[in-house]
Amino acid sequence: MSLPSDFLWGFATASYQIEGAVDKDGRGPSIWDTFCAQDGKIAGGVDGSVACDSYNRTAEDIALLKKLSVPSYRFSISWSRIIPKGGRNDPINQAGIDHYVKFVDDLIEAGIEPLITLYHWDLPDELDKRYGGLLNREEFPLDFENYARVLFKAIPKCKKWITFNEPWCSSILGYSTGYFAPGHTSDRKKSPVGDSSREPWIVGHNLLVAHGGAVKVYREEFKPKDKGEIGITLNGDYAYPWDPEDPRDVEAADRKIEFAISWFADPIYFGKYPDSMLKQLGDRLPKFTPEELALVKGSNDFYGMNHYTADYVKHGDGNPAPEDFLGDLTTHSYNKHGECIGPETQSFWLRPNPQGFRKLIQWLSKRYGYPRIYVTENGTSIKGENDLPKDQILNDQFRCDYYDGYVKAMAQAVTEDGCNVKGYMAWSLMDNFEWAEGYETRFGSTYVDYKDNQKRYPKKSGLQMKALFDGLIKKG
Ligand code: NOJ
């Protein structure tokens, strides 16, 4: 079992989760500032206004990466620092650009390769107010394309660009369940606005088109000279049938992955939505115009894969509710034989199942013709971690075991199944703002002491990561 000699590993973060400094250098508010300000949306009533204070501590973060001997770092750029109001005719904020240009220069100087995510959920709030943000099919893709161009131009040294992080979450959690910003949902107890049966599918479509537009700009205007590559990052769990003997559960397990991943990946690789989704959603799935299709089809240089967990899946009754987004099925932690998918963590949706990682890499590779995959996130929270004393938090054996199991399962997919995985970014470099779960849920391989000036202390899992990869990556 091994990984190729050019395999890239590192850690990942995202702007709103770590940066803080929300008013500094002319940053405009994002939908997450607005969402956090609403009562009852975030555990503990907290927000990202300070977070890990990383905007003010770039040198400290780079020193941390060096201490952990990390060869690459995935981070995201805050759109409203670059264009505070977000739109293509709005002023550009040079101070915001300068910040990220210097950060990339400093990373490269330290021998760390940057991977940049353009959009990790923090839409400029003005665009949401101005025209409905991600719901706007005409304006949103053009504004995103413009924002992307500004960055491609400013940061030619970056060779790996990710357009969108987890569009499933932006669509479903942002516009169906209302769990994430901007919090739209049909549930009027939670939000005065939203239509869970329609909006998420419109948003998903617009994100695909915006991705395609930015990729076209990169390929035509920058790639020939900068020689970088660009792709989208999709999230999805592996799905096992609840009863492997029941063909309806076997089908439902596949359908679960299609509703999560193929929703985006099929248009990108095949130019159409999956049949299972067309069948269930009918005309609620927007139709690609020929112009949109030309942007979307073939728009991945690599496949960005975020992955954390797996489920058992039982088929539904053939009559899914209009708000259903899973694909007429239910998910379970135990199968028919009472076997458990994996131990609990602090995250209600996450139970480790390393073999599911191998199986999902295989599933994706087969369906999409063995694309080059960068795992752009993988990691775990630990049940009760936040309540432990610091010395016990630093000894995060559960997380070490998670990484060991998952990285080895990935290496099996490469060595034994012929899958083309070329990179792995652990989530996350440090504890940070875990969206609606606030700061109570920690995903870091570095402990952040929020009560003592956000001081950083590497955990065992962070210190061990290099040895894990050294043991697997073939010597060049
Ligand atoms: C996926 C998201 O991209 C990231 O922002 C989040 O913190 C992790 N999953 C853990 O939930």
Side-chain angles (χ1 to χ4, degrees), residues 17 120-121 165-166 306 308 349 377 427 434-435 443:
Q17 294 182 270
H120 202 122
W121 307 349
N165 178 72
E166 302 195 349
N306 281 6
Y308 289 86
W349 50 270
E377 279 181 36
W427 185 272
E434 178 57 9
W435 308 111
F443 268 88

Side-chain angles (χ1 to χ4, degrees), residues 298-314:
S299 58
N300 252 1
D301 292 341
F302 60 83
Y303 182 103
M305 177 181 188
N306 281 6
H307 180 75
Y308 289 86
T309 188
D311 277 310
Y312 293 115
V313 167
K314 225 188 229 186

